[in-house]
Amino acid sequence: MTTVAKKLPKVAYLCMEYALKSHIKTYAGGLGILAGDYLKGAKEQNLPIVGVGIKWKQGYTGQKITGDGRVMDSYQNYPYDGLEDTGKTVKVQVRKRDITCRIWRAVGHGVSELILLDTDHPANGDAWITGQLYGWFGEERVAQEIVLGVGGVRALQALGIEPDVYHFNEGHAVLAALELIRQKREAGMTLAQAKVATRKQVVFTTHTPIKEGNESHPHELLQYMGANLGLSVEEMHEIGSTPFNMTIAALNLSRDANAVAELHGETARKMWEGVDLGPKITAVTNGIHRGTWVDPRMDQVKANPDKLWDLHMELKRDLIQFVHKRTGKKLADDKLLIGFARRAAPYKRSNLIFDCGPEVLKALEKGQFQIVFSGKAHPLDDTGKGIVQQIVKYSREMPENVVFLEDYDMDIGAALTRGSDVWLNNPRRPLEACGTSGMKAAMNGVLNLSILDGWWPEACEHGVNGWAIGDDVVPATVAEQDKRDAEFLASVLLKEVIPTYYNDHKKWVKMMQASIESITTRFSVETMLKDYYEKLYSPAK
């Protein structure tokens, strides 16, 4: 792919968050991790891709656990290394006031070109628009999306960058399409002509298939904020319905769209089948950047069972030391260690294992397995915080076998996906869009124990490269689904995972090898980028 990069379309990739390094707090979770891996892959393959995002002054929430077990959010100003002020600015309008946006360029960090916008400028009364990622409420969110979308298009133009394709990674960036339409109308096109021309330039990736993951805003708010860019309520309704749905708008203004796994594609097509103008949603399964997430020695040892196991035990002891340093708890390296690190969203069911019945709890209490959790709840999600608090409670009741690592970040994710024996994932099918953490674990020889959701149905060979929890049946009610999945999890854990770990070492290591072999190339960022160029970025037929 690198040899023909000059012939490929130039892509501008717009995303609200990017995970470059753990200490650079321009990310919240999986969306940012994906975007960071995407740009690292583009850099390594010399692909003509530029990322566009926001330089968040305080990033996403930090979350600590108080002495009485409650979740406490905190924000601080972060100094960022490796960002260069280009000396250029652009202006956007928010509430009829000009907002000056500095343009920064990421230098190093192993990514292809990345420009970040920042409103922390002395000319601005609203300098805090780019203060907190996913913080605050409706007006602030819309203002941030004006900066990302409208400011992003103008920043590219100010830097002399002319994309062939604008790729919106989630609906947050859709105001970029409205800015393209505005410019085309200003140049003499009718609205209908401008929409058709813009649609030829835009592709869109949809993510979480749940209501909360698909943002919408009242038209009155968008008009007040200036996010309509001269369009009437009726014209905005035609693009994004009422209330204005960012995903519907992005679909209506895209030539191509994709979901991030095969099953997610099926779910998304059903979810958005009423969007008349939108393209058929295809699937481009996410991939990961091995250089960030996979131990570099894995390639050298994966073919040798003894060397593979020795490396795994070294990584497991590294994780145990990491946990000890963070929490003071000392886990055992001769006991099965399960890792679980996800956003603390209710559908991800971080606490499901505690509802698997007395036999599982007894096995946990006896130390037949240990489990290390990590995860953050959205600062406005009290239900998610309640889930974290329940896990913390168990960690204090069973301190030798249950651990919660607070303030989930890239460092924690890397330690867990390298050093665990088993990677547990138990969302409510089909609400997991992809779930790339399991890919990271699998490439490190950590065996997946997962619901058949997200990417796992494409990879799972039960008992060969990991285990499935249950089947593809989705009961009529959430209560039935939770009960059924808890029973399946208990069964496979007690009857297959634990016995294999302690009684069939040869099979366990063979499964580790199968995991690495079957998943490494197929779910790499290189494969994902190849699919994007073939399915979405190639010139419209």
Side-chain angles (χ1 to χ4, degrees), residues 413-468:
L416 282 170
T417 53
R418 291 183 182 190
S420 300
D421 294 309
V422 168
W423 191 253
L424 177 62
N425 185 38
N426 43 235
R428 292 188 184 110
R429 177 184 166 113
L431 301 183
E432 181 85 297
C434 186
T436 58
S437 294
M439 300 175 185
K440 298 160 194 165
M443 293 184 198
N444 282 297
V446 177
L447 300 180
N448 275 266
L449 170 60
S450 177
I451 295 286
L452 287 166
D453 200 8
W455 74 287
W456 190 229
E458 299 170 47
C460 179
E461 298 173 63
H462 184 86
V464 176
N465 65 356
W467 295 274

Tab-separated table of all heavy atoms in Angstrom, residues 413-468:
chain	number	residue	atom	x	y	z
A	413	GLY	N	-4.998	-0.090	30.349
A	413	GLY	CA	-5.461	-0.966	29.282
A	413	GLY	C	-4.342	-1.836	28.727
A	413	GLY	O	-4.522	-3.038	28.497
A	414	ALA	N	-3.162	-1.244	28.534
A	414	ALA	CA	-2.036	-2.004	27.992
A	414	ALA	C	-1.573	-3.072	28.975
A	414	ALA	O	-1.291	-4.213	28.589
A	414	ALA	CB	-0.882	-1.060	27.653
A	415	ALA	N	-1.483	-2.726	30.266
A	415	ALA	CA	-1.039	-3.701	31.273
A	415	ALA	C	-1.991	-4.886	31.358
A	415	ALA	O	-1.568	-6.047	31.434
A	415	ALA	CB	-0.911	-3.015	32.639
A	416	LEU	N	-3.297	-4.607	31.322
A	416	LEU	CA	-4.294	-5.678	31.461
A	416	LEU	C	-4.371	-6.557	30.218
A	416	LEU	O	-4.515	-7.781	30.327
A	416	LEU	CB	-5.662	-5.079	31.761
A	416	LEU	CG	-5.894	-4.624	33.203
A	416	LEU	CD1	-7.184	-3.834	33.319
A	416	LEU	CD2	-5.925	-5.822	34.139
A	417	THR	N	-4.284	-5.967	29.038
A	417	THR	CA	-4.414	-6.775	27.819
A	417	THR	C	-3.132	-7.530	27.485
A	417	THR	O	-3.136	-8.398	26.610
A	417	THR	CB	-4.835	-5.911	26.612
A	417	THR	OG1	-3.937	-4.805	26.473
A	417	THR	CG2	-6.253	-5.399	26.769
A	418	ARG	N	-2.057	-7.241	28.173
A	418	ARG	CA	-0.820	-8.012	28.005
A	418	ARG	C	-0.656	-9.073	29.093
A	418	ARG	O	-0.147	-10.161	28.836
A	418	ARG	CB	0.397	-7.086	28.018
A	418	ARG	CG	0.494	-6.190	26.816
A	418	ARG	CD	1.764	-5.342	26.836
A	418	ARG	NE	1.808	-4.440	25.688
A	418	ARG	CZ	2.880	-3.720	25.341
A	418	ARG	NH1	3.991	-3.814	26.055
A	418	ARG	NH2	2.842	-2.916	24.295
A	419	GLY	N	-1.074	-8.753	30.324
A	419	GLY	CA	-0.727	-9.594	31.455
A	419	GLY	C	-1.808	-10.483	32.017
A	419	GLY	O	-1.518	-11.351	32.853
A	420	SER	N	-3.052	-10.310	31.603
A	420	SER	CA	-4.122	-11.184	32.095
A	420	SER	C	-4.000	-12.565	31.455
A	420	SER	O	-3.365	-12.729	30.406
A	420	SER	CB	-5.491	-10.587	31.763
A	420	SER	OG	-5.660	-9.307	32.348
A	421	ASP	N	-4.615	-13.555	32.075
A	421	ASP	CA	-4.738	-14.880	31.444
A	421	ASP	C	-5.957	-14.930	30.534
A	421	ASP	O	-5.933	-15.562	29.471
A	421	ASP	CB	-4.880	-15.965	32.514
A	421	ASP	CG	-3.634	-16.126	33.362
A	421	ASP	OD1	-2.541	-16.276	32.798
A	421	ASP	OD2	-3.761	-16.092	34.608
A	422	VAL	N	-7.034	-14.293	30.982
A	422	VAL	CA	-8.318	-14.316	30.267
A	422	VAL	C	-8.848	-12.895	30.174
A	422	VAL	O	-8.743	-12.108	31.125
A	422	VAL	CB	-9.331	-15.220	31.004
A	422	VAL	CG1	-10.748	-15.024	30.464
A	422	VAL	CG2	-8.920	-16.677	30.900
A	423	TRP	N	-9.443	-12.573	29.022
A	423	TRP	CA	-10.076	-11.268	28.832
A	423	TRP	C	-11.590	-11.472	28.796
A	423	TRP	O	-12.118	-12.147	27.920
A	423	TRP	CB	-9.617	-10.618	27.530
A	423	TRP	CG	-10.046	-9.179	27.444
A	423	TRP	CD1	-11.031	-8.657	26.661
A	423	TRP	CD2	-9.523	-8.103	28.211
A	423	TRP	NE1	-11.159	-7.317	26.886
A	423	TRP	CE2	-10.230	-6.945	27.833
A	423	TRP	CE3	-8.526	-8.007	29.179
A	423	TRP	CZ2	-9.971	-5.688	28.389
A	423	TRP	CZ3	-8.253	-6.754	29.730
A	423	TRP	CH2	-8.971	-5.624	29.339
A	424	LEU	N	-12.268	-10.901	29.780
A	424	LEU	CA	-13.716	-11.064	29.920
A	424	LEU	C	-14.443	-9.884	29.285
A	424	LEU	O	-14.093	-8.724	29.506
A	424	LEU	CB	-14.087	-11.162	31.410
A	424	LEU	CG	-15.577	-11.267	31.745
A	424	LEU	CD1	-16.198	-12.524	31.159
A	424	LEU	CD2	-15.774	-11.225	33.270
A	425	ASN	N	-15.465	-10.201	28.505
A	425	ASN	CA	-16.285	-9.163	27.871
A	425	ASN	C	-17.713	-9.674	27.802
A	425	ASN	O	-17.973	-10.700	27.181
A	425	ASN	CB	-15.770	-8.845	26.465
A	425	ASN	CG	-16.516	-7.698	25.820
A	425	ASN	OD1	-16.876	-6.726	26.479
A	425	ASN	ND2	-16.756	-7.788	24.522
A	426	ASN	N	-18.642	-8.975	28.461
A	426	ASN	CA	-20.015	-9.493	28.525
A	426	ASN	C	-21.090	-8.421	28.341
A	426	ASN	O	-21.949	-8.226	29.184
A	426	ASN	CB	-20.244	-10.262	29.835
A	426	ASN	CG	-19.678	-9.609	31.065
A	426	ASN	OD1	-18.908	-10.224	31.802
A	426	ASN	ND2	-20.043	-8.357	31.307
A	427	PRO	N	-21.058	-7.733	27.181
A	427	PRO	CA	-22.112	-6.752	26.903
A	427	PRO	C	-23.432	-7.440	26.562
A	427	PRO	O	-23.484	-8.654	26.337
A	427	PRO	CB	-21.566	-6.012	25.682
A	427	PRO	CG	-20.789	-7.068	24.961
A	427	PRO	CD	-20.134	-7.889	26.051
A	428	ARG	N	-24.484	-6.660	26.537
A	428	ARG	CA	-25.774	-7.172	26.059
A	428	ARG	C	-25.756	-7.139	24.529
A	428	ARG	O	-25.756	-6.081	23.917
A	428	ARG	CB	-26.938	-6.307	26.574
A	428	ARG	CG	-27.162	-6.401	28.060
A	428	ARG	CD	-28.451	-5.682	28.474
A	428	ARG	NE	-28.603	-5.708	29.910
A	428	ARG	CZ	-28.485	-4.636	30.713
A	428	ARG	NH1	-28.247	-3.445	30.189
A	428	ARG	NH2	-28.627	-4.751	32.016
A	429	ARG	N	-25.734	-8.311	23.916
A	429	ARG	CA	-25.810	-8.399	22.457
A	429	ARG	C	-27.145	-7.805	22.004
A	429	ARG	O	-28.172	-8.076	22.639
A	429	ARG	CB	-25.702	-9.871	22.030
A	429	ARG	CG	-25.828	-10.119	20.533
A	429	ARG	CD	-25.812	-11.595	20.218
A	429	ARG	NE	-26.238	-11.841	18.878
A	429	ARG	CZ	-25.457	-12.311	17.893
A	429	ARG	NH1	-24.200	-12.594	18.129
A	429	ARG	NH2	-25.942	-12.510	16.684
A	430	PRO	N	-27.176	-6.989	20.935
A	430	PRO	CA	-26.112	-6.611	20.029
A	430	PRO	C	-25.662	-5.156	20.245
A	430	PRO	O	-25.529	-4.399	19.281
A	430	PRO	CB	-26.790	-6.760	18.672
A	430	PRO	CG	-28.200	-6.275	18.950
A	430	PRO	CD	-28.496	-6.618	20.386
A	431	LEU	N	-25.429	-4.759	21.480
A	431	LEU	CA	-25.175	-3.358	21.795
A	431	LEU	C	-23.699	-2.983	21.787
A	431	LEU	O	-23.361	-1.815	21.947
A	431	LEU	CB	-25.799	-3.000	23.149
A	431	LEU	CG	-27.318	-3.205	23.244
A	431	LEU	CD1	-27.846	-2.758	24.595
A	431	LEU	CD2	-28.034	-2.453	22.118
A	432	GLU	N	-22.822	-3.954	21.608
A	432	GLU	CA	-21.392	-3.666	21.497
A	432	GLU	C	-21.069	-3.411	20.034
A	432	GLU	O	-21.284	-4.291	19.194
A	432	GLU	CB	-20.582	-4.862	21.996
A	432	GLU	CG	-19.077	-4.656	21.935
A	432	GLU	CD	-18.541	-3.934	23.156
A	432	GLU	OE1	-18.929	-2.753	23.364
A	432	GLU	OE2	-17.761	-4.531	23.899
A	433	ALA	N	-20.565	-2.223	19.731
A	433	ALA	CA	-20.247	-1.935	18.339
A	433	ALA	C	-19.093	-2.809	17.847
A	433	ALA	O	-19.194	-3.492	16.828
A	433	ALA	CB	-19.900	-0.453	18.172
A	434	CYS	N	-17.985	-2.808	18.594
A	434	CYS	CA	-16.847	-3.636	18.192
A	434	CYS	C	-16.150	-4.239	19.408
A	434	CYS	O	-16.222	-5.421	19.651
A	434	CYS	CB	-15.864	-2.828	17.345
A	434	CYS	SG	-14.521	-3.854	16.691
A	435	GLY	N	-15.439	-3.411	20.190
A	435	GLY	CA	-14.750	-3.920	21.377
A	435	GLY	C	-13.314	-4.320	21.094
A	435	GLY	O	-12.938	-5.484	21.216
A	436	THR	N	-12.476	-3.337	20.735
A	436	THR	CA	-11.116	-3.656	20.290
A	436	THR	C	-10.192	-4.137	21.412
A	436	THR	O	-9.118	-4.682	21.127
A	436	THR	CB	-10.462	-2.452	19.593
A	436	THR	OG1	-10.451	-1.340	20.494
A	436	THR	CG2	-11.217	-2.087	18.321
A	437	SER	N	-10.570	-3.948	22.670
A	437	SER	CA	-9.715	-4.429	23.763
A	437	SER	C	-9.474	-5.930	23.647
A	437	SER	O	-8.372	-6.421	23.939
A	437	SER	CB	-10.348	-4.115	25.119
A	437	SER	OG	-10.397	-2.728	25.345
A	438	GLY	N	-10.492	-6.656	23.228
A	438	GLY	CA	-10.342	-8.097	23.068
A	438	GLY	C	-9.342	-8.463	21.997
A	438	GLY	O	-8.647	-9.498	22.092
A	439	MET	N	-9.238	-7.635	20.949
A	439	MET	CA	-8.229	-7.875	19.918
A	439	MET	C	-6.823	-7.721	20.500
A	439	MET	O	-5.922	-8.517	20.206
A	439	MET	CB	-8.411	-6.884	18.763
A	439	MET	CG	-9.749	-6.942	18.066
A	439	MET	SD	-9.838	-5.603	16.847
A	439	MET	CE	-11.530	-5.783	16.285
A	440	LYS	N	-6.645	-6.679	21.299
A	440	LYS	CA	-5.328	-6.441	21.915
A	440	LYS	C	-4.939	-7.629	22.782
A	440	LYS	O	-3.792	-8.110	22.735
A	440	LYS	CB	-5.387	-5.161	22.750
A	440	LYS	CG	-5.685	-3.922	21.940
A	440	LYS	CD	-6.207	-2.798	22.822
A	440	LYS	CE	-6.814	-1.713	21.939
A	440	LYS	NZ	-7.639	-0.764	22.700
A	441	ALA	N	-5.890	-8.080	23.602
A	441	ALA	CA	-5.625	-9.230	24.459
A	441	ALA	C	-5.257	-10.457	23.623
A	441	ALA	O	-4.260	-11.134	23.885
A	441	ALA	CB	-6.849	-9.516	25.333
A	442	ALA	N	-6.059	-10.729	22.597
A	442	ALA	CA	-5.859	-11.934	21.783
A	442	ALA	C	-4.485	-11.968	21.130
A	442	ALA	O	-3.837	-13.021	21.048
A	442	ALA	CB	-6.952	-12.019	20.717
A	443	MET	N	-4.017	-10.809	20.655
A	443	MET	CA	-2.711	-10.764	19.992
A	443	MET	C	-1.561	-10.957	20.972
A	443	MET	O	-0.434	-11.245	20.571
A	443	MET	CB	-2.567	-9.455	19.223
A	443	MET	CG	-3.517	-9.332	18.052
A	443	MET	SD	-3.216	-7.818	17.108
A	443	MET	CE	-4.779	-7.678	16.207
A	444	ASN	N	-1.849	-10.756	22.266
A	444	ASN	CA	-0.860	-11.017	23.317
A	444	ASN	C	-1.011	-12.416	23.913
A	444	ASN	O	-0.379	-12.730	24.924
A	444	ASN	CB	-0.987	-9.975	24.420
A	444	ASN	CG	-0.346	-8.649	24.062
A	444	ASN	OD1	0.859	-8.568	23.853
A	444	ASN	ND2	-1.151	-7.598	23.981
A	445	GLY	N	-1.849	-13.241	23.300
A	445	GLY	CA	-2.054	-14.589	23.801
A	445	GLY	C	-2.969	-14.677	24.996
A	445	GLY	O	-3.037	-15.732	25.651
A	446	VAL	N	-3.682	-13.604	25.302
A	446	VAL	CA	-4.668	-13.600	26.386
A	446	VAL	C	-5.990	-14.091	25.799
A	446	VAL	O	-6.478	-13.534	24.807
A	446	VAL	CB	-4.818	-12.185	26.982
A	446	VAL	CG1	-5.898	-12.158	28.051
A	446	VAL	CG2	-3.474	-11.711	27.558
A	447	LEU	N	-6.574	-15.109	26.383
A	447	LEU	CA	-7.728	-15.772	25.783
A	447	LEU	C	-9.022	-15.029	26.082
A	447	LEU	O	-9.305	-14.687	27.232
A	447	LEU	CB	-7.815	-17.210	26.285
A	447	LEU	CG	-6.599	-18.080	25.971
A	447	LEU	CD1	-6.798	-19.492	26.510
A	447	LEU	CD2	-6.315	-18.118	24.462
A	448	ASN	N	-9.805	-14.812	25.033
A	448	ASN	CA	-11.080	-14.112	25.178
A	448	ASN	C	-12.153	-15.048	25.718
A	448	ASN	O	-12.308	-16.185	25.251
A	448	ASN	CB	-11.533	-13.550	23.832
A	448	ASN	CG	-10.925	-12.195	23.528
A	448	ASN	OD1	-11.514	-11.161	23.812
A	448	ASN	ND2	-9.730	-12.202	22.953
A	449	LEU	N	-12.912	-14.546	26.656
A	449	LEU	CA	-14.127	-15.174	27.176
A	449	LEU	C	-15.210	-14.133	27.013
A	449	LEU	O	-15.312	-13.198	27.801
A	449	LEU	CB	-13.935	-15.573	28.645
A	449	LEU	CG	-15.180	-16.032	29.423
A	449	LEU	CD1	-15.813	-17.251	28.784
A	449	LEU	CD2	-14.818	-16.293	30.883
A	450	SER	N	-16.008	-14.266	25.949
A	450	SER	CA	-16.833	-13.129	25.553
A	450	SER	C	-18.194	-13.547	25.011
A	450	SER	O	-18.344	-14.594	24.363
A	450	SER	CB	-16.101	-12.312	24.474
A	450	SER	OG	-16.890	-11.239	24.006
A	451	ILE	N	-19.161	-12.679	25.263
A	451	ILE	CA	-20.447	-12.729	24.567
A	451	ILE	C	-20.180	-12.619	23.064
A	451	ILE	O	-19.235	-11.943	22.627
A	451	ILE	CB	-21.334	-11.552	25.037
A	451	ILE	CG1	-21.699	-11.695	26.522
A	451	ILE	CG2	-22.583	-11.410	24.174
A	451	ILE	CD1	-22.727	-12.759	26.825
A	452	LEU	N	-20.994	-13.270	22.264
A	452	LEU	CA	-20.849	-13.188	20.806
A	452	LEU	C	-21.424	-11.869	20.304
A	452	LEU	O	-22.511	-11.791	19.731
A	452	LEU	CB	-21.533	-14.379	20.140
A	452	LEU	CG	-20.797	-15.712	20.312
A	452	LEU	CD1	-21.707	-16.879	19.939
A	452	LEU	CD2	-19.508	-15.729	19.486
A	453	ASP	N	-20.671	-10.818	20.548
A	453	ASP	CA	-21.081	-9.481	20.161
A	453	ASP	C	-19.866	-8.727	19.654
A	453	ASP	O	-18.722	-9.143	19.849
A	453	ASP	CB	-21.708	-8.745	21.358
A	453	ASP	CG	-22.568	-7.565	20.948
A	453	ASP	OD1	-22.807	-7.399	19.733
A	453	ASP	OD2	-23.012	-6.814	21.836
A	454	GLY	N	-20.114	-7.591	18.963
A	454	GLY	CA	-19.012	-6.823	18.424
A	454	GLY	C	-18.201	-7.638	17.429
A	454	GLY	O	-18.746	-8.307	16.546
A	455	TRP	N	-16.889	-7.625	17.577
A	455	TRP	CA	-15.991	-8.309	16.638
A	455	TRP	C	-15.903	-9.806	16.893
A	455	TRP	O	-15.532	-10.564	15.987
A	455	TRP	CB	-14.586	-7.716	16.749
A	455	TRP	CG	-13.879	-8.159	18.006
A	455	TRP	CD1	-14.140	-7.738	19.274
A	455	TRP	CD2	-12.840	-9.128	18.119
A	455	TRP	NE1	-13.316	-8.361	20.181
A	455	TRP	CE2	-12.504	-9.227	19.494
A	455	TRP	CE3	-12.153	-9.917	17.205
A	455	TRP	CZ2	-11.514	-10.091	19.959
A	455	TRP	CZ3	-11.163	-10.779	17.670
A	455	TRP	CH2	-10.850	-10.857	19.032
A	456	TRP	N	-16.238	-10.279	18.099
A	456	TRP	CA	-15.946	-11.652	18.492
A	456	TRP	C	-16.653	-12.719	17.643
A	456	TRP	O	-16.075	-13.773	17.371
A	456	TRP	CB	-16.234	-11.826	19.971
A	456	TRP	CG	-15.775	-13.116	20.606
A	456	TRP	CD1	-16.517	-13.944	21.387
A	456	TRP	CD2	-14.469	-13.721	20.554
A	456	TRP	NE1	-15.781	-15.013	21.833
A	456	TRP	CE2	-14.505	-14.903	21.310
A	456	TRP	CE3	-13.278	-13.389	19.910
A	456	TRP	CZ2	-13.405	-15.754	21.456
A	456	TRP	CZ3	-12.168	-14.222	20.049
A	456	TRP	CH2	-12.240	-15.390	20.817
A	457	PRO	N	-17.895	-12.499	17.158
A	457	PRO	CA	-18.491	-13.523	16.276
A	457	PRO	C	-17.677	-13.785	15.011
A	457	PRO	O	-17.752	-14.877	14.441
A	457	PRO	CB	-19.868	-12.922	15.931
A	457	PRO	CG	-20.176	-12.005	17.061
A	457	PRO	CD	-18.859	-11.427	17.472
A	458	GLU	N	-16.896	-12.814	14.568
A	458	GLU	CA	-16.071	-13.002	13.374
A	458	GLU	C	-14.824	-13.831	13.659
A	458	GLU	O	-14.214	-14.378	12.733
A	458	GLU	CB	-15.645	-11.640	12.819
A	458	GLU	CG	-16.792	-10.748	12.397
A	458	GLU	CD	-16.334	-9.329	12.089
A	458	GLU	OE1	-15.323	-9.181	11.359
A	458	GLU	OE2	-16.964	-8.373	12.581
A	459	ALA	N	-14.436	-13.925	14.937
A	459	ALA	CA	-13.151	-14.546	15.268
A	459	ALA	C	-13.265	-15.804	16.113
A	459	ALA	O	-12.382	-16.661	16.073
A	459	ALA	CB	-12.284	-13.530	16.020
A	460	CYS	N	-14.350	-15.935	16.871
A	460	CYS	CA	-14.421	-16.971	17.902
A	460	CYS	C	-14.468	-18.384	17.325
A	460	CYS	O	-15.308	-18.708	16.477
A	460	CYS	CB	-15.650	-16.744	18.777
A	460	CYS	SG	-15.852	-17.996	20.060
A	461	GLU	N	-13.546	-19.212	17.800
A	461	GLU	CA	-13.598	-20.659	17.606
A	461	GLU	C	-13.614	-21.252	19.011
A	461	GLU	O	-12.565	-21.397	19.626
A	461	GLU	CB	-12.394	-21.140	16.811
A	461	GLU	CG	-12.297	-20.569	15.411
A	461	GLU	CD	-11.000	-20.957	14.730
A	461	GLU	OE1	-10.772	-22.169	14.512
A	461	GLU	OE2	-10.199	-20.049	14.444
A	462	HIS	N	-14.795	-21.546	19.485
A	462	HIS	CA	-14.974	-21.905	20.896
A	462	HIS	C	-14.095	-23.097	21.280
A	462	HIS	O	-14.112	-24.153	20.633
A	462	HIS	CB	-16.441	-22.239	21.173
A	462	HIS	CG	-16.730	-22.532	22.621
A	462	HIS	ND1	-17.003	-21.543	23.521
A	462	HIS	CD2	-16.762	-23.700	23.309
A	462	HIS	CE1	-17.203	-22.088	24.716
A	462	HIS	NE2	-17.049	-23.395	24.610
A	463	GLY	N	-13.307	-22.889	22.346
A	463	GLY	CA	-12.420	-23.939	22.816
A	463	GLY	C	-11.151	-24.082	22.011
A	463	GLY	O	-10.316	-24.939	22.316
A	464	VAL	N	-10.984	-23.258	20.982
A	464	VAL	CA	-9.790	-23.314	20.134
A	464	VAL	C	-8.932	-22.061	20.327
A	464	VAL	O	-7.738	-22.145	20.620
A	464	VAL	CB	-10.166	-23.484	18.647
A	464	VAL	CG1	-8.915	-23.433	17.757
A	464	VAL	CG2	-10.938	-24.771	18.434
A	465	ASN	N	-9.539	-20.870	20.128
A	465	ASN	CA	-8.788	-19.624	20.326
A	465	ASN	C	-9.406	-18.733	21.404
A	465	ASN	O	-9.063	-17.558	21.527
A	465	ASN	CB	-8.654	-18.848	19.012
A	465	ASN	CG	-9.992	-18.350	18.478
A	465	ASN	OD1	-11.051	-18.629	19.042
A	465	ASN	ND2	-9.946	-17.611	17.384
A	466	GLY	N	-10.322	-19.292	22.164
A	466	GLY	CA	-11.027	-18.558	23.211
A	466	GLY	C	-12.362	-19.237	23.456
A	466	GLY	O	-12.584	-20.379	23.013
A	467	TRP	N	-13.267	-18.526	24.152
A	467	TRP	CA	-14.573	-19.117	24.456
A	467	TRP	C	-15.695	-18.105	24.204
A	467	TRP	O	-15.534	-16.907	24.431
A	467	TRP	CB	-14.648	-19.540	25.918
A	467	TRP	CG	-13.708	-20.637	26.306
A	467	TRP	CD1	-13.919	-21.989	26.207
A	467	TRP	CD2	-12.397	-20.486	26.866
A	467	TRP	NE1	-12.826	-22.677	26.673
A	467	TRP	CE2	-11.883	-21.784	27.087
A	467	TRP	CE3	-11.612	-19.384	27.221
A	467	TRP	CZ2	-10.618	-21.996	27.633
A	467	TRP	CZ3	-10.357	-19.590	27.759
A	467	TRP	CH2	-9.868	-20.886	27.964
A	468	ALA	N	-16.804	-18.620	23.757
A	468	ALA	CA	-18.032	-17.830	23.647
A	468	ALA	C	-18.848	-18.004	24.916
A	468	ALA	O	-18.921	-19.094	25.472
A	468	ALA	CB	-18.841	-18.274	22.446
